[in-house]
Amino acid sequence: MEDFNSWRDLLNPEFYIKMGGFWLILFIVFAETGLFVGFFLPGDSLLFVSGIYAVEIIKETFGSTGSDFLDTTILASCVALAAIVGNEVGYYFGVKTGPALYKKQDTMLFKKKYLYQAHDFFEKHGALAIIMARFLPVVRTFTPIVAGIVKMDKREFLRDNVVGAVLWSFILIFAGHYLDKLFQEQFGINLKEKLEVIIIIIVLVTTLPVIIKFVFGKKEDHSKYENKDFDQE
């Protein structure tokens, strides 16, 4: 069991893996879109680092299959399922209560600007946004809510949700697992010893588009959402 030493641990995916393993990983993935409070938790980096530890995670949870590939596939599949369920919860939350969020005051865990950004992203990219948002921190938390608010067809949403979740989980988890093996075999480098650098790189790569949009993007008029009747969508 990993001990909590500082708030920095909350940004360290290895902390969650060692503290709660398989089930905590699934909960965090679900919470990011299903509970709308997980946007500050490690997402992409958690999956990548989970891939590095995939064999250990599955062995401790279910017992190893004896195959790295199967162990990694089991982990990626379960993460994809948690991501799908989380998005579906977010979608139905948007359908039922989403419009009220535009009148909700900002809190420590909820920032209205994130909802606006997700709405702009959804309007710009349409249904493809559900797939693309999976790879964008913060945006992926609120995009399924927006899809529910604008009454996106639930079958189309489920289709794009499944595609996005599978791509996101399998790409990042398999990248973590096999890049770790590649670096060890070819360069003698153990990625588990370089996790801080890896996490910084992943955070920069995944958040850079959001930061660029926020800093240099054209300022949008978000007042159009305040009084919009989404029941007519």
Side-chain angles (χ1 to χ4, degrees):
M1 179 69 70
E2 187 83 352
D3 294 325
F4 177 80
N5 296 314
S6 72
W7 291 107
R8 290 180 58 187
D9 288 335
L10 297 179
L11 302 177
N12 181 5
E14 190 179 24
F15 168 75
Y16 296 100
I17 293 170
K18 291 185 176 180
M19 182 180 72
F22 178 81
W23 300 110
L24 184 57
I25 293 170
L26 296 192
F27 176 76
I28 291 174
V29 170
F30 167 80
E32 193 171 23
T33 52
L35 300 180
F36 332 119
V37 295
F39 59 86
F40 61 88
L41 296 171
D44 302 306
S45 58
L46 176 64
L47 266 60
F48 186 89
V49 176
S50 294
I52 296 177
Y53 285 95
V55 174
E56 293 94 324
I57 292 171
I58 295 302
K59 182 179 180 179
E60 291 177 1
T61 308
F62 305 109
S64 177
T65 65
S67 166
D68 283 14
F69 177 78
L70 286 179
D71 287 344
T72 307
T73 299
I74 291 171
L75 179 61
S77 299
C78 292
V79 168
L81 180 60
I84 291 168
V85 174
N87 257 19
E88 289 296 321
V89 171
Y91 173 83
Y92 283 104
F93 181 85
V95 170
K96 298 297 183 182
T97 63
L101 291 178
Y102 286 104
K103 299 179 175 63
K104 179 179 174 63
Q105 296 299 313
D106 283 355
T107 65
M108 184 176 68
L109 296 179
F110 174 81
K111 302 296 182 185
K112 198 184 299 184
K113 66 180 181 180
Y114 298 148
L115 191 61
Y116 293 146
Q117 290 169 1
H119 201 299
D120 293 340
F121 185 78
F122 186 86
E123 284 199 332
K124 180 178 180 180
H125 299 288
L128 186 60
I130 306 301
I131 299 174
M132 296 171 61
R134 269 293 169 199
F135 296 87
L136 295 173
V138 179
V139 174
R140 64 170 162 259
T141 299
F142 294 96
T143 296
I145 302 175
V146 170
I149 291 173
V150 301
K151 303 294 193 301
M152 178 181 179
D153 182 83
K154 60 184 180 181
R155 292 180 181 175
E156 292 182 3
F157 177 82
L158 177 59
R159 177 199 63 202
D160 297 333
N161 180 18
V162 170
V163 172
V166 170
L167 288 175
W168 182 58
S169 60
F170 273 76
I171 287 174
L172 288 174
I173 290 176
F174 271 81
H177 182 73
Y178 285 103
L179 282 177
D180 179 48
K181 293 189 67 174
L182 175 66
F183 273 75
Q184 288 196 53
E185 294 172 359
Q186 299 297 322
F187 308 107
I189 298 175
N190 186 348
L191 293 187
K192 292 176 183 176
E193 299 174 355
K194 310 290 184 181
L195 288 182
E196 288 190 5
V197 176
I198 293 172
I199 292 167
I200 291 174
I201 292 174
I202 293 175
V203 170
L204 287 176
V205 170
T206 56
T207 59
L208 192 58
V210 178
I211 294 173
I212 292 176
K213 171 66 177 176
F214 180 77
V215 176
F216 300 105
K218 180 180 177 182
K219 188 173 181 60
E220 300 286 346
D221 178 16
H222 293 139
S223 62
K224 60 185 177 181
Y225 301 135
E226 297 286 354
N227 300 313
K228 189 172 182 179
D229 183 4
F230 289 100
D231 290 332
Q232 301 303 315
E233 296 278 358

mmCIF file of all heavy atoms in Angstrom, residues 158-204:
data_model
loop_
_atom_site.group_PDB
_atom_site.id
_atom_site.type_symbol
_atom_site.label_atom_id
_atom_site.label_comp_id
_atom_site.label_asym_id
_atom_site.label_seq_id
_atom_site.Cartn_x
_atom_site.Cartn_y
_atom_site.Cartn_z
ATOM 1 N N LEU A 158 -23.258 6.420 -28.546
ATOM 2 C CA LEU A 158 -22.704 5.153 -28.066
ATOM 3 C C LEU A 158 -21.644 4.638 -29.021
ATOM 4 O O LEU A 158 -20.578 4.180 -28.588
ATOM 5 C CB LEU A 158 -23.821 4.122 -27.906
ATOM 6 C CG LEU A 158 -23.368 2.717 -27.467
ATOM 7 C CD1 LEU A 158 -22.654 2.769 -26.125
ATOM 8 C CD2 LEU A 158 -24.567 1.764 -27.414
ATOM 9 N N ARG A 159 -21.908 4.721 -30.315
ATOM 10 C CA ARG A 159 -20.935 4.259 -31.319
ATOM 11 C C ARG A 159 -19.618 5.026 -31.188
ATOM 12 O O ARG A 159 -18.537 4.429 -31.094
ATOM 13 C CB ARG A 159 -21.515 4.458 -32.718
ATOM 14 C CG ARG A 159 -20.573 4.093 -33.870
ATOM 15 C CD ARG A 159 -21.048 4.736 -35.156
ATOM 16 N NE ARG A 159 -21.016 6.195 -35.069
ATOM 17 C CZ ARG A 159 -21.746 7.001 -35.858
ATOM 18 N NH1 ARG A 159 -22.579 6.491 -36.748
ATOM 19 N NH2 ARG A 159 -21.639 8.312 -35.731
ATOM 20 N N ASP A 160 -19.708 6.353 -31.182
ATOM 21 C CA ASP A 160 -18.495 7.168 -31.096
ATOM 22 C C ASP A 160 -17.824 7.025 -29.737
ATOM 23 O O ASP A 160 -16.595 7.085 -29.621
ATOM 24 C CB ASP A 160 -18.834 8.640 -31.357
ATOM 25 C CG ASP A 160 -19.384 8.862 -32.761
ATOM 26 O OD1 ASP A 160 -19.046 8.070 -33.649
ATOM 27 O OD2 ASP A 160 -20.146 9.827 -32.958
ATOM 28 N N ASN A 161 -18.631 6.828 -28.705
ATOM 29 C CA ASN A 161 -18.109 6.627 -27.361
ATOM 30 C C ASN A 161 -17.254 5.361 -27.308
ATOM 31 O O ASN A 161 -16.141 5.364 -26.764
ATOM 32 C CB ASN A 161 -19.279 6.537 -26.375
ATOM 33 C CG ASN A 161 -18.826 6.323 -24.935
ATOM 34 O OD1 ASN A 161 -17.680 6.561 -24.575
ATOM 35 N ND2 ASN A 161 -19.747 5.866 -24.105
ATOM 36 N N VAL A 162 -17.768 4.273 -27.875
ATOM 37 C CA VAL A 162 -17.039 3.003 -27.877
ATOM 38 C C VAL A 162 -15.741 3.134 -28.669
ATOM 39 O O VAL A 162 -14.668 2.706 -28.204
ATOM 40 C CB VAL A 162 -17.916 1.879 -28.467
ATOM 41 C CG1 VAL A 162 -17.081 0.617 -28.690
ATOM 42 C CG2 VAL A 162 -19.092 1.577 -27.542
ATOM 43 N N VAL A 163 -15.828 3.730 -29.850
ATOM 44 C CA VAL A 163 -14.629 3.888 -30.689
ATOM 45 C C VAL A 163 -13.576 4.713 -29.965
ATOM 46 O O VAL A 163 -12.397 4.346 -29.901
ATOM 47 C CB VAL A 163 -14.989 4.546 -32.037
ATOM 48 C CG1 VAL A 163 -13.714 4.887 -32.821
ATOM 49 C CG2 VAL A 163 -15.879 3.631 -32.863
ATOM 50 N N GLY A 164 -13.986 5.844 -29.403
ATOM 51 C CA GLY A 164 -13.041 6.717 -28.716
ATOM 52 C C GLY A 164 -12.411 6.062 -27.503
ATOM 53 O O GLY A 164 -11.201 6.167 -27.282
ATOM 54 N N ALA A 165 -13.226 5.368 -26.704
ATOM 55 C CA ALA A 165 -12.721 4.727 -25.493
ATOM 56 C C ALA A 165 -11.736 3.605 -25.820
ATOM 57 O O ALA A 165 -10.700 3.461 -25.158
ATOM 58 C CB ALA A 165 -13.889 4.174 -24.675
ATOM 59 N N VAL A 166 -12.050 2.819 -26.835
ATOM 60 C CA VAL A 166 -11.167 1.712 -27.218
ATOM 61 C C VAL A 166 -9.834 2.247 -27.753
ATOM 62 O O VAL A 166 -8.758 1.773 -27.374
ATOM 63 C CB VAL A 166 -11.850 0.804 -28.263
ATOM 64 C CG1 VAL A 166 -10.842 -0.188 -28.846
ATOM 65 C CG2 VAL A 166 -13.019 0.057 -27.631
ATOM 66 N N LEU A 167 -9.909 3.247 -28.627
ATOM 67 C CA LEU A 167 -8.678 3.821 -29.171
ATOM 68 C C LEU A 167 -7.819 4.421 -28.063
ATOM 69 O O LEU A 167 -6.604 4.185 -28.002
ATOM 70 C CB LEU A 167 -9.013 4.899 -30.206
ATOM 71 C CG LEU A 167 -9.563 4.423 -31.550
ATOM 72 C CD1 LEU A 167 -9.950 5.614 -32.421
ATOM 73 C CD2 LEU A 167 -8.529 3.567 -32.278
ATOM 74 N N TRP A 168 -8.447 5.197 -27.192
ATOM 75 C CA TRP A 168 -7.732 5.874 -26.105
ATOM 76 C C TRP A 168 -7.040 4.870 -25.183
ATOM 77 O O TRP A 168 -5.844 4.995 -24.906
ATOM 78 C CB TRP A 168 -8.725 6.725 -25.330
ATOM 79 C CG TRP A 168 -8.171 7.533 -24.201
ATOM 80 C CD1 TRP A 168 -7.192 8.481 -24.272
ATOM 81 C CD2 TRP A 168 -8.592 7.484 -22.831
ATOM 82 N NE1 TRP A 168 -6.980 9.032 -23.026
ATOM 83 C CE2 TRP A 168 -7.819 8.436 -22.129
ATOM 84 C CE3 TRP A 168 -9.542 6.741 -22.136
ATOM 85 C CZ2 TRP A 168 -7.977 8.656 -20.751
ATOM 86 C CZ3 TRP A 168 -9.706 6.960 -20.778
ATOM 87 C CH2 TRP A 168 -8.927 7.913 -20.102
ATOM 88 N N SER A 169 -7.782 3.885 -24.711
ATOM 89 C CA SER A 169 -7.232 2.936 -23.750
ATOM 90 C C SER A 169 -6.177 2.026 -24.376
ATOM 91 O O SER A 169 -5.097 1.822 -23.804
ATOM 92 C CB SER A 169 -8.351 2.092 -23.125
ATOM 93 O OG SER A 169 -9.040 1.359 -24.114
ATOM 94 N N PHE A 170 -6.455 1.500 -25.558
ATOM 95 C CA PHE A 170 -5.517 0.555 -26.165
ATOM 96 C C PHE A 170 -4.241 1.247 -26.633
ATOM 97 O O PHE A 170 -3.139 0.710 -26.466
ATOM 98 C CB PHE A 170 -6.189 -0.182 -27.329
ATOM 99 C CG PHE A 170 -6.939 -1.411 -26.892
ATOM 100 C CD1 PHE A 170 -8.171 -1.298 -26.263
ATOM 101 C CD2 PHE A 170 -6.423 -2.684 -27.093
ATOM 102 C CE1 PHE A 170 -8.874 -2.420 -25.844
ATOM 103 C CE2 PHE A 170 -7.112 -3.816 -26.681
ATOM 104 C CZ PHE A 170 -8.348 -3.684 -26.047
ATOM 105 N N ILE A 171 -4.372 2.442 -27.227
ATOM 106 C CA ILE A 171 -3.177 3.143 -27.710
ATOM 107 C C ILE A 171 -2.244 3.492 -26.547
ATOM 108 O O ILE A 171 -1.041 3.208 -26.588
ATOM 109 C CB ILE A 171 -3.569 4.424 -28.473
ATOM 110 C CG1 ILE A 171 -4.175 4.061 -29.834
ATOM 111 C CG2 ILE A 171 -2.349 5.327 -28.672
ATOM 112 C CD1 ILE A 171 -4.716 5.254 -30.603
ATOM 113 N N LEU A 172 -2.788 4.086 -25.495
ATOM 114 C CA LEU A 172 -1.941 4.540 -24.398
ATOM 115 C C LEU A 172 -1.397 3.386 -23.556
ATOM 116 O O LEU A 172 -0.223 3.378 -23.175
ATOM 117 C CB LEU A 172 -2.718 5.521 -23.517
ATOM 118 C CG LEU A 172 -2.962 6.890 -24.152
ATOM 119 C CD1 LEU A 172 -3.857 7.746 -23.269
ATOM 120 C CD2 LEU A 172 -1.641 7.614 -24.387
ATOM 121 N N ILE A 173 -2.241 2.406 -23.257
ATOM 122 C CA ILE A 173 -1.787 1.283 -22.427
ATOM 123 C C ILE A 173 -0.778 0.411 -23.179
ATOM 124 O O ILE A 173 0.260 0.031 -22.628
ATOM 125 C CB ILE A 173 -2.984 0.455 -21.941
ATOM 126 C CG1 ILE A 173 -3.782 1.257 -20.904
ATOM 127 C CG2 ILE A 173 -2.525 -0.877 -21.350
ATOM 128 C CD1 ILE A 173 -5.041 0.586 -20.416
ATOM 129 N N PHE A 174 -1.051 0.107 -24.437
ATOM 130 C CA PHE A 174 -0.105 -0.695 -25.204
ATOM 131 C C PHE A 174 1.178 0.076 -25.490
ATOM 132 O O PHE A 174 2.272 -0.521 -25.517
ATOM 133 C CB PHE A 174 -0.745 -1.175 -26.513
ATOM 134 C CG PHE A 174 -1.458 -2.493 -26.375
ATOM 135 C CD1 PHE A 174 -2.747 -2.545 -25.856
ATOM 136 C CD2 PHE A 174 -0.842 -3.679 -26.741
ATOM 137 C CE1 PHE A 174 -3.407 -3.757 -25.704
ATOM 138 C CE2 PHE A 174 -1.489 -4.899 -26.595
ATOM 139 C CZ PHE A 174 -2.776 -4.934 -26.073
ATOM 140 N N ALA A 175 1.072 1.391 -25.680
ATOM 141 C CA ALA A 175 2.272 2.205 -25.882
ATOM 142 C C ALA A 175 3.152 2.144 -24.637
ATOM 143 O O ALA A 175 4.376 1.962 -24.734
ATOM 144 C CB ALA A 175 1.885 3.656 -26.186
ATOM 145 N N GLY A 176 2.543 2.291 -23.462
ATOM 146 C CA GLY A 176 3.304 2.220 -22.224
ATOM 147 C C GLY A 176 3.986 0.871 -22.050
ATOM 148 O O GLY A 176 5.173 0.798 -21.704
ATOM 149 N N HIS A 177 3.239 -0.202 -22.315
ATOM 150 C CA HIS A 177 3.783 -1.548 -22.093
ATOM 151 C C HIS A 177 4.925 -1.869 -23.046
ATOM 152 O O HIS A 177 6.005 -2.315 -22.613
ATOM 153 C CB HIS A 177 2.681 -2.588 -22.254
ATOM 154 C CG HIS A 177 3.150 -3.986 -22.006
ATOM 155 N ND1 HIS A 177 3.439 -4.467 -20.745
ATOM 156 C CD2 HIS A 177 3.411 -5.013 -22.859
ATOM 157 C CE1 HIS A 177 3.837 -5.721 -20.824
ATOM 158 N NE2 HIS A 177 3.833 -6.073 -22.102
ATOM 159 N N TYR A 178 4.699 -1.636 -24.347
ATOM 160 C CA TYR A 178 5.694 -2.074 -25.315
ATOM 161 C C TYR A 178 6.843 -1.082 -25.498
ATOM 162 O O TYR A 178 7.949 -1.489 -25.889
ATOM 163 C CB TYR A 178 5.013 -2.397 -26.645
ATOM 164 C CG TYR A 178 4.273 -3.723 -26.560
ATOM 165 C CD1 TYR A 178 2.893 -3.770 -26.428
ATOM 166 C CD2 TYR A 178 4.983 -4.922 -26.549
ATOM 167 C CE1 TYR A 178 2.227 -4.990 -26.308
ATOM 168 C CE2 TYR A 178 4.331 -6.146 -26.435
ATOM 169 C CZ TYR A 178 2.945 -6.168 -26.317
ATOM 170 O OH TYR A 178 2.304 -7.370 -26.185
ATOM 171 N N LEU A 179 6.617 0.185 -25.222
ATOM 172 C CA LEU A 179 7.742 1.119 -25.237
ATOM 173 C C LEU A 179 8.690 0.824 -24.073
ATOM 174 O O LEU A 179 9.908 0.959 -24.202
ATOM 175 C CB LEU A 179 7.238 2.570 -25.155
ATOM 176 C CG LEU A 179 6.697 3.163 -26.455
ATOM 177 C CD1 LEU A 179 6.180 4.574 -26.210
ATOM 178 C CD2 LEU A 179 7.780 3.178 -27.544
ATOM 179 N N ASP A 180 8.117 0.425 -22.940
ATOM 180 C CA ASP A 180 8.952 0.045 -21.796
ATOM 181 C C ASP A 180 9.828 -1.152 -22.163
ATOM 182 O O ASP A 180 11.033 -1.173 -21.873
ATOM 183 C CB ASP A 180 8.068 -0.292 -20.592
ATOM 184 C CG ASP A 180 8.882 -0.708 -19.374
ATOM 185 O OD1 ASP A 180 9.854 0.002 -19.039
ATOM 186 O OD2 ASP A 180 8.553 -1.733 -18.750
ATOM 187 N N LYS A 181 9.243 -2.159 -22.808
ATOM 188 C CA LYS A 181 10.010 -3.332 -23.217
ATOM 189 C C LYS A 181 11.059 -2.961 -24.259
ATOM 190 O O LYS A 181 12.201 -3.441 -24.201
ATOM 191 C CB LYS A 181 9.061 -4.397 -23.791
ATOM 192 C CG LYS A 181 8.113 -5.007 -22.777
ATOM 193 C CD LYS A 181 7.353 -6.191 -23.361
ATOM 194 C CE LYS A 181 8.287 -7.346 -23.652
ATOM 195 N NZ LYS A 181 7.546 -8.558 -24.079
ATOM 196 N N LEU A 182 10.679 -2.090 -25.205
ATOM 197 C CA LEU A 182 11.608 -1.682 -26.262
ATOM 198 C C LEU A 182 12.817 -0.960 -25.673
ATOM 199 O O LEU A 182 13.968 -1.253 -26.037
ATOM 200 C CB LEU A 182 10.887 -0.783 -27.262
ATOM 201 C CG LEU A 182 11.757 -0.171 -28.365
ATOM 202 C CD1 LEU A 182 12.289 -1.263 -29.283
ATOM 203 C CD2 LEU A 182 10.958 0.863 -29.161
ATOM 204 N N PHE A 183 12.568 -0.017 -24.768
ATOM 205 C CA PHE A 183 13.664 0.761 -24.190
ATOM 206 C C PHE A 183 14.575 -0.116 -23.336
ATOM 207 O O PHE A 183 15.788 0.106 -23.291
ATOM 208 C CB PHE A 183 13.103 1.925 -23.374
ATOM 209 C CG PHE A 183 12.848 3.157 -24.186
ATOM 210 C CD1 PHE A 183 11.761 3.237 -25.037
ATOM 211 C CD2 PHE A 183 13.704 4.243 -24.111
ATOM 212 C CE1 PHE A 183 11.527 4.365 -25.795
ATOM 213 C CE2 PHE A 183 13.486 5.383 -24.869
ATOM 214 C CZ PHE A 183 12.397 5.452 -25.721
ATOM 215 N N GLN A 184 13.973 -1.102 -22.655
ATOM 216 C CA GLN A 184 14.806 -1.989 -21.847
ATOM 217 C C GLN A 184 15.675 -2.893 -22.725
ATOM 218 O O GLN A 184 16.870 -3.082 -22.448
ATOM 219 C CB GLN A 184 13.925 -2.848 -20.922
ATOM 220 C CG GLN A 184 13.293 -2.071 -19.778
ATOM 221 C CD GLN A 184 12.761 -2.995 -18.693
ATOM 222 O OE1 GLN A 184 13.478 -3.851 -18.180
ATOM 223 N NE2 GLN A 184 11.503 -2.833 -18.338
ATOM 224 N N GLU A 185 15.091 -3.441 -23.783
ATOM 225 C CA GLU A 185 15.814 -4.381 -24.635
ATOM 226 C C GLU A 185 16.838 -3.690 -25.526
ATOM 227 O O GLU A 185 17.931 -4.214 -25.756
ATOM 228 C CB GLU A 185 14.823 -5.180 -25.489
ATOM 229 C CG GLU A 185 13.919 -6.095 -24.675
ATOM 230 C CD GLU A 185 12.834 -6.733 -25.513
ATOM 231 O OE1 GLU A 185 12.774 -6.436 -26.733
ATOM 232 O OE2 GLU A 185 12.041 -7.529 -24.973
ATOM 233 N N GLN A 186 16.496 -2.519 -26.056
ATOM 234 C CA GLN A 186 17.364 -1.853 -27.020
ATOM 235 C C GLN A 186 18.352 -0.882 -26.393
ATOM 236 O O GLN A 186 19.467 -0.702 -26.892
ATOM 237 C CB GLN A 186 16.507 -1.109 -28.062
ATOM 238 C CG GLN A 186 15.586 -1.997 -28.869
ATOM 239 C CD GLN A 186 16.358 -3.003 -29.716
ATOM 240 O OE1 GLN A 186 17.421 -2.686 -30.263
ATOM 241 N NE2 GLN A 186 15.835 -4.216 -29.833
ATOM 242 N N PHE A 187 17.943 -0.241 -25.299
ATOM 243 C CA PHE A 187 18.788 0.810 -24.729
ATOM 244 C C PHE A 187 19.146 0.571 -23.263
ATOM 245 O O PHE A 187 19.900 1.349 -22.680
ATOM 246 C CB PHE A 187 18.084 2.168 -24.856
ATOM 247 C CG PHE A 187 17.605 2.472 -26.245
ATOM 248 C CD1 PHE A 187 16.247 2.425 -26.556
ATOM 249 C CD2 PHE A 187 18.503 2.788 -27.252
ATOM 250 C CE1 PHE A 187 15.802 2.699 -27.830
ATOM 251 C CE2 PHE A 187 18.070 3.058 -28.538
ATOM 252 C CZ PHE A 187 16.709 3.007 -28.838
ATOM 253 N N GLY A 188 18.596 -0.488 -22.678
ATOM 254 C CA GLY A 188 18.872 -0.757 -21.277
ATOM 255 C C GLY A 188 18.283 0.280 -20.343
ATOM 256 O O GLY A 188 18.771 0.479 -19.228
ATOM 257 N N ILE A 189 17.223 0.940 -20.786
ATOM 258 C CA ILE A 189 16.577 1.989 -19.989
ATOM 259 C C ILE A 189 15.270 1.456 -19.425
ATOM 260 O O ILE A 189 14.410 0.975 -20.174
ATOM 261 C CB ILE A 189 16.299 3.239 -20.832
ATOM 262 C CG1 ILE A 189 17.616 3.824 -21.360
ATOM 263 C CG2 ILE A 189 15.536 4.289 -20.020
ATOM 264 C CD1 ILE A 189 17.423 4.996 -22.301
ATOM 265 N N ASN A 190 15.117 1.541 -18.113
ATOM 266 C CA ASN A 190 13.889 1.126 -17.451
ATOM 267 C C ASN A 190 12.991 2.353 -17.289
ATOM 268 O O ASN A 190 13.312 3.267 -16.522
ATOM 269 C CB ASN A 190 14.213 0.510 -16.092
ATOM 270 C CG ASN A 190 12.984 -0.072 -15.408
ATOM 271 O OD1 ASN A 190 11.844 0.160 -15.833
ATOM 272 N ND2 ASN A 190 13.203 -0.828 -14.341
ATOM 273 N N LEU A 191 11.872 2.383 -18.006
ATOM 274 C CA LEU A 191 11.000 3.558 -17.965
ATOM 275 C C LEU A 191 10.396 3.789 -16.586
ATOM 276 O O LEU A 191 9.992 4.908 -16.270
ATOM 277 C CB LEU A 191 9.877 3.425 -19.004
ATOM 278 C CG LEU A 191 10.311 3.452 -20.471
ATOM 279 C CD1 LEU A 191 9.087 3.490 -21.394
ATOM 280 C CD2 LEU A 191 11.226 4.629 -20.768
ATOM 281 N N LYS A 192 10.339 2.746 -15.775
ATOM 282 C CA LYS A 192 9.811 2.917 -14.418
ATOM 283 C C LYS A 192 10.692 3.850 -13.596
ATOM 284 O O LYS A 192 10.241 4.449 -12.622
ATOM 285 C CB LYS A 192 9.699 1.558 -13.719
ATOM 286 C CG LYS A 192 8.640 0.647 -14.321
ATOM 287 C CD LYS A 192 8.642 -0.703 -13.651
ATOM 288 C CE LYS A 192 7.628 -1.645 -14.309
ATOM 289 N NZ LYS A 192 7.660 -3.009 -13.733
ATOM 290 N N GLU A 193 11.949 3.957 -14.003
ATOM 291 C CA GLU A 193 12.879 4.845 -13.306
ATOM 292 C C GLU A 193 12.858 6.255 -13.891
ATOM 293 O O GLU A 193 13.539 7.145 -13.376
ATOM 294 C CB GLU A 193 14.298 4.268 -13.388
ATOM 295 C CG GLU A 193 14.431 2.885 -12.735
ATOM 296 C CD GLU A 193 15.801 2.275 -12.954
ATOM 297 O OE1 GLU A 193 16.606 2.883 -13.699
ATOM 298 O OE2 GLU A 193 16.070 1.199 -12.390
ATOM 299 N N LYS A 194 12.099 6.451 -14.966
ATOM 300 C CA LYS A 194 12.037 7.756 -15.635
ATOM 301 C C LYS A 194 10.615 8.302 -15.656
ATOM 302 O O LYS A 194 10.263 9.122 -16.500
ATOM 303 C CB LYS A 194 12.539 7.624 -17.089
ATOM 304 C CG LYS A 194 13.879 6.925 -17.234
ATOM 305 C CD LYS A 194 15.017 7.760 -16.697
ATOM 306 C CE LYS A 194 16.361 7.076 -16.944
ATOM 307 N NZ LYS A 194 17.504 7.850 -16.404
ATOM 308 N N LEU A 195 9.791 7.857 -14.711
ATOM 309 C CA LEU A 195 8.372 8.192 -14.764
ATOM 310 C C LEU A 195 8.100 9.687 -14.649
ATOM 311 O O LEU A 195 7.183 10.206 -15.290
ATOM 312 C CB LEU A 195 7.607 7.434 -13.669
ATOM 313 C CG LEU A 195 7.436 5.927 -13.902
ATOM 314 C CD1 LEU A 195 6.629 5.314 -12.778
ATOM 315 C CD2 LEU A 195 6.777 5.659 -15.241
ATOM 316 N N GLU A 196 8.867 10.399 -13.842
ATOM 317 C CA GLU A 196 8.630 11.830 -13.695
ATOM 318 C C GLU A 196 8.795 12.556 -15.018
ATOM 319 O O GLU A 196 7.988 13.414 -15.374
ATOM 320 C CB GLU A 196 9.573 12.427 -12.637
ATOM 321 C CG GLU A 196 9.218 12.019 -11.211
ATOM 322 C CD GLU A 196 10.004 12.815 -10.189
ATOM 323 O OE1 GLU A 196 10.749 13.738 -10.596
ATOM 324 O OE2 GLU A 196 9.877 12.525 -8.986
ATOM 325 N N VAL A 197 9.834 12.200 -15.756
ATOM 326 C CA VAL A 197 10.074 12.810 -17.066
ATOM 327 C C VAL A 197 8.965 12.436 -18.037
ATOM 328 O O VAL A 197 8.452 13.278 -18.784
ATOM 329 C CB VAL A 197 11.446 12.370 -17.635
ATOM 330 C CG1 VAL A 197 11.640 12.919 -19.037
ATOM 331 C CG2 VAL A 197 12.561 12.831 -16.722
ATOM 332 N N ILE A 198 8.582 11.152 -18.040
ATOM 333 C CA ILE A 198 7.532 10.675 -18.935
ATOM 334 C C ILE A 198 6.218 11.397 -18.662
ATOM 335 O O ILE A 198 5.526 11.829 -19.588
ATOM 336 C CB ILE A 198 7.342 9.143 -18.772
ATOM 337 C CG1 ILE A 198 8.579 8.413 -19.281
ATOM 338 C CG2 ILE A 198 6.090 8.668 -19.508
ATOM 339 C CD1 ILE A 198 8.577 6.932 -18.985
ATOM 340 N N ILE A 199 5.869 11.527 -17.388
ATOM 341 C CA ILE A 199 4.614 12.184 -17.016
ATOM 342 C C ILE A 199 4.611 13.636 -17.474
ATOM 343 O O ILE A 199 3.621 14.136 -18.017
ATOM 344 C CB ILE A 199 4.391 12.090 -15.498
ATOM 345 C CG1 ILE A 199 4.129 10.634 -15.088
ATOM 346 C CG2 ILE A 199 3.211 12.966 -15.065
ATOM 347 C CD1 ILE A 199 4.204 10.398 -13.600
ATOM 348 N N ILE A 200 5.728 14.321 -17.283
ATOM 349 C CA ILE A 200 5.825 15.726 -17.720
ATOM 350 C C ILE A 200 5.638 15.829 -19.223
ATOM 351 O O ILE A 200 4.912 16.707 -19.717
ATOM 352 C CB ILE A 200 7.191 16.315 -17.306
ATOM 353 C CG1 ILE A 200 7.262 16.465 -15.780
ATOM 354 C CG2 ILE A 200 7.414 17.672 -17.977
ATOM 355 C CD1 ILE A 200 8.621 16.892 -15.272
ATOM 356 N N ILE A 201 6.272 14.927 -19.975
ATOM 357 C CA ILE A 201 6.150 14.939 -21.440
ATOM 358 C C ILE A 201 4.707 14.696 -21.868
ATOM 359 O O ILE A 201 4.165 15.402 -22.732
ATOM 360 C CB ILE A 201 7.077 13.880 -22.072
ATOM 361 C CG1 ILE A 201 8.538 14.279 -21.862
ATOM 362 C CG2 ILE A 201 6.775 13.731 -23.563
ATOM 363 C CD1 ILE A 201 9.532 13.226 -22.319
ATOM 364 N N ILE A 202 4.056 13.691 -21.264
ATOM 365 C CA ILE A 202 2.674 13.364 -21.622
ATOM 366 C C ILE A 202 1.744 14.528 -21.289
ATOM 367 O O ILE A 202 0.878 14.899 -22.093
ATOM 368 C CB ILE A 202 2.208 12.084 -20.903
ATOM 369 C CG1 ILE A 202 2.978 10.875 -21.426
ATOM 370 C CG2 ILE A 202 0.706 11.877 -21.092
ATOM 371 C CD1 ILE A 202 2.672 9.592 -20.691
ATOM 372 N N VAL A 203 1.925 15.118 -20.118
ATOM 373 C CA VAL A 203 1.083 16.258 -19.724
ATOM 374 C C VAL A 203 1.262 17.415 -20.686
ATOM 375 O O VAL A 203 0.281 18.051 -21.107
ATOM 376 C CB VAL A 203 1.418 16.691 -18.279
ATOM 377 C CG1 VAL A 203 0.731 18.022 -17.958
ATOM 378 C CG2 VAL A 203 0.971 15.623 -17.288
ATOM 379 N N LEU A 204 2.504 17.699 -21.081
ATOM 380 C CA LEU A 204 2.760 18.796 -22.012
ATOM 381 C C LEU A 204 2.133 18.528 -23.373
ATOM 382 O O LEU A 204 1.495 19.407 -23.962
ATOM 383 C CB LEU A 204 4.271 19.016 -22.163
ATOM 384 C CG LEU A 204 4.990 19.659 -20.972
ATOM 385 C CD1 LEU A 204 6.487 19.717 -21.232
ATOM 386 C CD2 LEU A 204 4.437 21.066 -20.716
#
